[in-house]
mmCIF file of all heavy atoms in Angstrom:
data_model
loop_
_atom_site.group_PDB
_atom_site.id
_atom_site.type_symbol
_atom_site.label_atom_id
_atom_site.label_comp_id
_atom_site.label_asym_id
_atom_site.label_seq_id
_atom_site.Cartn_x
_atom_site.Cartn_y
_atom_site.Cartn_z
ATOM 1 N N LEU Z 14 0.432 -4.228 0.227
ATOM 2 C CA LEU Z 14 -0.457 -4.783 1.238
ATOM 3 C C LEU Z 14 -0.481 -3.928 2.499
ATOM 4 O O LEU Z 14 0.570 -3.538 3.010
ATOM 5 C CB LEU Z 14 -0.005 -6.199 1.622
ATOM 6 C CG LEU Z 14 0.086 -7.206 0.474
ATOM 7 C CD1 LEU Z 14 0.764 -8.480 0.944
ATOM 8 C CD2 LEU Z 14 -1.299 -7.498 -0.071
ATOM 9 N N ASP Z 15 -1.671 -3.686 2.997
ATOM 10 C CA ASP Z 15 -1.807 -2.986 4.275
ATOM 11 C C ASP Z 15 -1.496 -3.977 5.391
ATOM 12 O O ASP Z 15 -1.781 -5.173 5.274
ATOM 13 C CB ASP Z 15 -3.231 -2.442 4.430
ATOM 14 C CG ASP Z 15 -3.308 -1.284 5.411
ATOM 15 O OD1 ASP Z 15 -2.599 -1.321 6.440
ATOM 16 O OD2 ASP Z 15 -4.075 -0.356 5.161
ATOM 17 N N MET Z 16 -0.921 -3.498 6.467
ATOM 18 C CA MET Z 16 -0.599 -4.376 7.592
ATOM 19 C C MET Z 16 -1.849 -4.815 8.356
ATOM 20 O O MET Z 16 -1.897 -5.916 8.884
ATOM 21 C CB MET Z 16 0.376 -3.679 8.559
ATOM 22 C CG MET Z 16 1.786 -3.592 8.026
ATOM 23 S SD MET Z 16 2.529 -5.199 7.690
ATOM 24 C CE MET Z 16 2.543 -5.940 9.313
ATOM 25 N N VAL Z 17 -2.856 -3.960 8.413
ATOM 26 C CA VAL Z 17 -4.078 -4.290 9.146
ATOM 27 C C VAL Z 17 -5.177 -4.564 8.124
ATOM 28 O O VAL Z 17 -5.495 -3.699 7.304
ATOM 29 C CB VAL Z 17 -4.495 -3.140 10.085
ATOM 30 C CG1 VAL Z 17 -5.787 -3.468 10.800
ATOM 31 C CG2 VAL Z 17 -3.373 -2.847 11.088
ATOM 32 N N LEU Z 18 -5.716 -5.764 8.156
ATOM 33 C CA LEU Z 18 -6.745 -6.175 7.211
ATOM 34 C C LEU Z 18 -7.957 -6.719 7.962
ATOM 35 O O LEU Z 18 -7.825 -7.238 9.075
ATOM 36 C CB LEU Z 18 -6.199 -7.257 6.271
ATOM 37 C CG LEU Z 18 -5.018 -6.853 5.395
ATOM 38 C CD1 LEU Z 18 -4.429 -8.071 4.703
ATOM 39 C CD2 LEU Z 18 -5.455 -5.828 4.368
ATOM 40 N N PRO Z 19 -9.133 -6.644 7.358
ATOM 41 C CA PRO Z 19 -10.318 -7.191 8.011
ATOM 42 C C PRO Z 19 -10.298 -8.720 8.011
ATOM 43 O O PRO Z 19 -9.575 -9.340 7.234
ATOM 44 C CB PRO Z 19 -11.471 -6.660 7.157
ATOM 45 C CG PRO Z 19 -10.867 -6.400 5.818
ATOM 46 C CD PRO Z 19 -9.435 -6.019 6.080
ATOM 47 N N GLY Z 20 -11.069 -9.299 8.875
ATOM 48 C CA GLY Z 20 -11.224 -10.753 8.880
ATOM 49 C C GLY Z 20 -10.178 -11.508 9.665
ATOM 50 O O GLY Z 20 -10.023 -12.708 9.502
ATOM 51 N N GLY Z 21 -9.414 -10.817 10.500
ATOM 52 C CA GLY Z 21 -8.464 -11.514 11.364
ATOM 53 C C GLY Z 21 -7.124 -11.851 10.732
ATOM 54 O O GLY Z 21 -6.329 -12.549 11.332
ATOM 55 N N THR Z 22 -6.867 -11.379 9.532
ATOM 56 C CA THR Z 22 -5.558 -11.617 8.930
ATOM 57 C C THR Z 22 -4.782 -10.305 8.919
ATOM 58 O O THR Z 22 -5.262 -9.284 9.394
ATOM 59 C CB THR Z 22 -5.690 -12.224 7.514
ATOM 60 O OG1 THR Z 22 -4.387 -12.657 7.087
ATOM 61 C CG2 THR Z 22 -6.251 -11.238 6.527
ATOM 62 N N ASN Z 23 -3.566 -10.357 8.409
ATOM 63 C CA ASN Z 23 -2.761 -9.141 8.292
ATOM 64 C C ASN Z 23 -1.923 -9.214 7.025
ATOM 65 O O ASN Z 23 -1.884 -10.246 6.353
ATOM 66 C CB ASN Z 23 -1.883 -8.949 9.543
ATOM 67 C CG ASN Z 23 -0.939 -10.107 9.764
ATOM 68 O OD1 ASN Z 23 -0.240 -10.546 8.856
ATOM 69 N ND2 ASN Z 23 -0.914 -10.626 10.978
ATOM 70 N N GLY Z 24 -1.276 -8.123 6.698
ATOM 71 C CA GLY Z 24 -0.489 -8.053 5.480
ATOM 72 C C GLY Z 24 0.635 -9.066 5.420
ATOM 73 O O GLY Z 24 0.935 -9.613 4.361
ATOM 74 N N TRP Z 25 1.271 -9.330 6.550
ATOM 75 C CA TRP Z 25 2.384 -10.281 6.590
ATOM 76 C C TRP Z 25 1.897 -11.685 6.229
ATOM 77 O O TRP Z 25 2.498 -12.372 5.410
ATOM 78 C CB TRP Z 25 3.033 -10.270 7.966
ATOM 79 C CG TRP Z 25 4.147 -11.250 8.100
ATOM 80 C CD1 TRP Z 25 4.162 -12.368 8.857
ATOM 81 C CD2 TRP Z 25 5.413 -11.203 7.439
ATOM 82 N NE1 TRP Z 25 5.344 -13.032 8.715
ATOM 83 C CE2 TRP Z 25 6.137 -12.341 7.845
ATOM 84 C CE3 TRP Z 25 5.991 -10.333 6.539
ATOM 85 C CZ2 TRP Z 25 7.419 -12.615 7.381
ATOM 86 C CZ3 TRP Z 25 7.277 -10.612 6.076
ATOM 87 C CH2 TRP Z 25 7.973 -11.737 6.500
ATOM 88 N N THR Z 26 0.778 -12.111 6.814
ATOM 89 C CA THR Z 26 0.223 -13.436 6.532
ATOM 90 C C THR Z 26 -0.201 -13.539 5.068
ATOM 91 O O THR Z 26 0.082 -14.533 4.392
ATOM 92 C CB THR Z 26 -0.980 -13.713 7.447
ATOM 93 O OG1 THR Z 26 -0.552 -13.589 8.806
ATOM 94 C CG2 THR Z 26 -1.551 -15.091 7.227
ATOM 95 N N LEU Z 27 -0.874 -12.508 4.569
ATOM 96 C CA LEU Z 27 -1.300 -12.502 3.172
ATOM 97 C C LEU Z 27 -0.097 -12.511 2.235
ATOM 98 O O LEU Z 27 -0.098 -13.202 1.210
ATOM 99 C CB LEU Z 27 -2.187 -11.293 2.909
ATOM 100 C CG LEU Z 27 -2.811 -11.190 1.520
ATOM 101 C CD1 LEU Z 27 -3.630 -12.425 1.175
ATOM 102 C CD2 LEU Z 27 -3.666 -9.942 1.432
ATOM 103 N N SER Z 28 0.947 -11.797 2.585
ATOM 104 C CA SER Z 28 2.163 -11.764 1.776
ATOM 105 C C SER Z 28 2.768 -13.156 1.638
ATOM 106 O O SER Z 28 3.161 -13.565 0.545
ATOM 107 C CB SER Z 28 3.186 -10.816 2.400
ATOM 108 O OG SER Z 28 4.435 -10.941 1.759
ATOM 109 N N LYS Z 29 2.832 -13.894 2.726
ATOM 110 C CA LYS Z 29 3.401 -15.245 2.670
ATOM 111 C C LYS Z 29 2.596 -16.142 1.743
ATOM 112 O O LYS Z 29 3.148 -16.910 0.962
ATOM 113 C CB LYS Z 29 3.479 -15.836 4.071
ATOM 114 C CG LYS Z 29 4.530 -15.180 4.936
ATOM 115 C CD LYS Z 29 4.621 -15.868 6.265
ATOM 116 C CE LYS Z 29 5.956 -16.439 6.285
ATOM 117 N NZ LYS Z 29 6.545 -17.114 7.279
ATOM 118 N N ALA Z 30 1.269 -16.033 1.806
ATOM 119 C CA ALA Z 30 0.413 -16.860 0.949
ATOM 120 C C ALA Z 30 0.561 -16.460 -0.520
ATOM 121 O O ALA Z 30 0.654 -17.325 -1.398
ATOM 122 C CB ALA Z 30 -1.040 -16.735 1.393
ATOM 123 N N LEU Z 31 0.585 -15.163 -0.792
ATOM 124 C CA LEU Z 31 0.666 -14.691 -2.179
ATOM 125 C C LEU Z 31 2.036 -14.931 -2.800
ATOM 126 O O LEU Z 31 2.135 -15.266 -3.977
ATOM 127 C CB LEU Z 31 0.301 -13.211 -2.256
ATOM 128 C CG LEU Z 31 -1.165 -12.887 -1.977
ATOM 129 C CD1 LEU Z 31 -1.368 -11.377 -1.917
ATOM 130 C CD2 LEU Z 31 -2.075 -13.519 -3.005
ATOM 131 N N THR Z 32 3.105 -14.775 -2.031
ATOM 132 C CA THR Z 32 4.435 -15.006 -2.597
ATOM 133 C C THR Z 32 4.685 -16.493 -2.833
ATOM 134 O O THR Z 32 5.532 -16.845 -3.649
ATOM 135 C CB THR Z 32 5.556 -14.390 -1.743
ATOM 136 O OG1 THR Z 32 5.459 -14.858 -0.412
ATOM 137 C CG2 THR Z 32 5.513 -12.881 -1.784
ATOM 138 N N ALA Z 33 3.945 -17.358 -2.162
ATOM 139 C CA ALA Z 33 4.035 -18.785 -2.473
ATOM 140 C C ALA Z 33 3.486 -19.045 -3.877
ATOM 141 O O ALA Z 33 3.972 -19.927 -4.587
ATOM 142 C CB ALA Z 33 3.277 -19.604 -1.440
ATOM 143 N N LEU Z 34 2.485 -18.272 -4.278
ATOM 144 C CA LEU Z 34 1.883 -18.414 -5.605
ATOM 145 C C LEU Z 34 2.640 -17.634 -6.673
ATOM 146 O O LEU Z 34 2.615 -17.988 -7.846
ATOM 147 C CB LEU Z 34 0.431 -17.925 -5.569
ATOM 148 C CG LEU Z 34 -0.512 -18.688 -4.649
ATOM 149 C CD1 LEU Z 34 -1.854 -17.987 -4.565
ATOM 150 C CD2 LEU Z 34 -0.672 -20.121 -5.139
ATOM 151 N N CYS Z 35 3.283 -16.555 -6.269
ATOM 152 C CA CYS Z 35 3.964 -15.656 -7.209
ATOM 153 C C CYS Z 35 5.305 -15.231 -6.586
ATOM 154 O O CYS Z 35 5.453 -14.098 -6.138
ATOM 155 C CB CYS Z 35 3.058 -14.456 -7.476
ATOM 156 S SG CYS Z 35 3.525 -13.485 -8.888
ATOM 157 N N PRO Z 36 6.274 -16.152 -6.551
ATOM 158 C CA PRO Z 36 7.511 -15.890 -5.800
ATOM 159 C C PRO Z 36 8.371 -14.755 -6.331
ATOM 160 O O PRO Z 36 9.188 -14.213 -5.598
ATOM 161 C CB PRO Z 36 8.260 -17.223 -5.867
ATOM 162 C CG PRO Z 36 7.653 -17.972 -6.979
ATOM 163 C CD PRO Z 36 6.257 -17.469 -7.162
ATOM 164 N N GLN Z 37 8.203 -14.363 -7.591
ATOM 165 C CA GLN Z 37 9.030 -13.290 -8.139
ATOM 166 C C GLN Z 37 8.551 -11.904 -7.718
ATOM 167 O O GLN Z 37 9.241 -10.919 -7.916
ATOM 168 C CB GLN Z 37 9.108 -13.376 -9.670
ATOM 169 C CG GLN Z 37 7.872 -12.924 -10.398
ATOM 170 C CD GLN Z 37 6.775 -13.979 -10.487
ATOM 171 O OE1 GLN Z 37 6.924 -15.078 -9.973
ATOM 172 N NE2 GLN Z 37 5.683 -13.645 -11.134
ATOM 173 N N ALA Z 38 7.362 -11.820 -7.129
ATOM 174 C CA ALA Z 38 6.809 -10.514 -6.749
ATOM 175 C C ALA Z 38 7.504 -9.966 -5.505
ATOM 176 O O ALA Z 38 7.789 -10.693 -4.566
ATOM 177 C CB ALA Z 38 5.313 -10.637 -6.490
ATOM 178 N N ALA Z 39 7.755 -8.674 -5.532
ATOM 179 C CA ALA Z 39 8.263 -7.965 -4.360
ATOM 180 C C ALA Z 39 7.060 -7.519 -3.534
ATOM 181 O O ALA Z 39 5.950 -7.415 -4.054
ATOM 182 C CB ALA Z 39 9.078 -6.759 -4.788
ATOM 183 N N THR Z 40 7.268 -7.257 -2.254
ATOM 184 C CA THR Z 40 6.167 -6.839 -1.391
ATOM 185 C C THR Z 40 6.479 -5.502 -0.741
ATOM 186 O O THR Z 40 7.577 -5.298 -0.226
ATOM 187 C CB THR Z 40 5.903 -7.883 -0.288
ATOM 188 O OG1 THR Z 40 5.631 -9.141 -0.895
ATOM 189 C CG2 THR Z 40 4.718 -7.491 0.568
ATOM 190 N N VAL Z 41 5.500 -4.604 -0.784
ATOM 191 C CA VAL Z 41 5.548 -3.343 -0.058
ATOM 192 C C VAL Z 41 4.396 -3.367 0.921
ATOM 193 O O VAL Z 41 3.249 -3.631 0.547
ATOM 194 C CB VAL Z 41 5.399 -2.123 -1.004
ATOM 195 C CG1 VAL Z 41 5.296 -0.830 -0.213
ATOM 196 C CG2 VAL Z 41 6.557 -2.063 -1.987
ATOM 197 N N PHE Z 42 4.706 -3.138 2.185
ATOM 198 C CA PHE Z 42 3.677 -3.062 3.209
ATOM 199 C C PHE Z 42 3.362 -1.593 3.466
ATOM 200 O O PHE Z 42 4.227 -0.744 3.329
ATOM 201 C CB PHE Z 42 4.166 -3.713 4.504
ATOM 202 C CG PHE Z 42 4.455 -5.174 4.354
ATOM 203 C CD1 PHE Z 42 5.737 -5.623 4.123
ATOM 204 C CD2 PHE Z 42 3.432 -6.107 4.426
ATOM 205 C CE1 PHE Z 42 6.015 -6.973 3.967
ATOM 206 C CE2 PHE Z 42 3.693 -7.447 4.274
ATOM 207 C CZ PHE Z 42 4.985 -7.887 4.040
ATOM 208 N N MET Z 43 2.125 -1.315 3.831
ATOM 209 C CA MET Z 43 1.774 0.053 4.217
ATOM 210 C C MET Z 43 1.004 0.001 5.522
ATOM 211 O O MET Z 43 0.347 -0.988 5.839
ATOM 212 C CB MET Z 43 0.982 0.754 3.113
ATOM 213 C CG MET Z 43 -0.302 0.131 2.743
ATOM 214 S SD MET Z 43 -1.040 1.097 1.395
ATOM 215 C CE MET Z 43 -2.283 -0.031 0.869
ATOM 216 N N SER Z 44 1.130 1.098 6.279
ATOM 217 C CA SER Z 44 0.477 1.150 7.575
ATOM 218 C C SER Z 44 0.363 2.585 8.056
ATOM 219 O O SER Z 44 1.196 3.425 7.727
ATOM 220 C CB SER Z 44 1.274 0.341 8.603
ATOM 221 O OG SER Z 44 0.650 0.413 9.863
ATOM 222 N N GLY Z 45 -0.669 2.822 8.824
ATOM 223 C CA GLY Z 45 -0.829 4.100 9.497
ATOM 224 C C GLY Z 45 -0.125 4.111 10.842
ATOM 225 O O GLY Z 45 0.022 5.157 11.464
ATOM 226 N N TYR Z 46 0.327 2.938 11.297
ATOM 227 C CA TYR Z 46 1.101 2.867 12.534
ATOM 228 C C TYR Z 46 2.516 3.363 12.265
ATOM 229 O O TYR Z 46 2.993 3.317 11.134
ATOM 230 C CB TYR Z 46 1.160 1.430 13.063
ATOM 231 C CG TYR Z 46 -0.168 0.929 13.562
ATOM 232 C CD1 TYR Z 46 -0.958 0.105 12.775
ATOM 233 C CD2 TYR Z 46 -0.642 1.297 14.816
ATOM 234 C CE1 TYR Z 46 -2.185 -0.352 13.224
ATOM 235 C CE2 TYR Z 46 -1.868 0.848 15.278
ATOM 236 C CZ TYR Z 46 -2.634 0.027 14.470
ATOM 237 O OH TYR Z 46 -3.841 -0.418 14.921
ATOM 238 N N THR Z 47 3.197 3.793 13.287
ATOM 239 C CA THR Z 47 4.558 4.297 13.109
ATOM 240 C C THR Z 47 5.507 3.162 12.761
ATOM 241 O O THR Z 47 5.258 1.999 13.083
ATOM 242 C CB THR Z 47 5.068 4.991 14.383
ATOM 243 O OG1 THR Z 47 5.175 4.017 15.415
ATOM 244 C CG2 THR Z 47 4.163 6.122 14.801
ATOM 245 N N GLU Z 48 6.603 3.516 12.082
ATOM 246 C CA GLU Z 48 7.638 2.524 11.778
ATOM 247 C C GLU Z 48 8.119 1.856 13.055
ATOM 248 O O GLU Z 48 8.353 0.653 13.079
ATOM 249 C CB GLU Z 48 8.831 3.187 11.082
ATOM 250 C CG GLU Z 48 8.671 3.330 9.616
ATOM 251 C CD GLU Z 48 9.967 3.783 8.968
ATOM 252 O OE1 GLU Z 48 11.036 3.223 9.268
ATOM 253 O OE2 GLU Z 48 9.886 4.701 8.144
ATOM 254 N N ASN Z 49 8.274 2.639 14.098
ATOM 255 C CA ASN Z 49 8.737 2.110 15.370
ATOM 256 C C ASN Z 49 7.802 1.003 15.855
ATOM 257 O O ASN Z 49 8.246 -0.062 16.277
ATOM 258 C CB ASN Z 49 8.837 3.237 16.399
ATOM 259 C CG ASN Z 49 9.528 2.801 17.657
ATOM 260 O OD1 ASN Z 49 10.494 2.050 17.606
ATOM 261 N ND2 ASN Z 49 9.020 3.251 18.783
#
């Protein structure tokens, strides 16, 4: 999941919703922003 998504949501919010449906899945976030 990208951290910045269109429509006012973000990767973190989407991750919470998707892992509720599929709790065994691991999540990798990606971003063009720095780790810092």
Side-chain angles (χ1 to χ4, degrees):
L14 303 170
D15 203 322
M16 286 300 298
V17 178
L18 298 170
T22 190
N23 60 49
W25 178 249
T26 303
L27 185 56
S28 170
K29 289 184 115 177
L31 291 173
T32 54
L34 298 172
C35 195
Q37 75 278 1
T40 303
V41 174
F42 297 97
M43 61 182 166
S44 179
Y46 291 100
T47 65
E48 275 189 47
N49 190 39

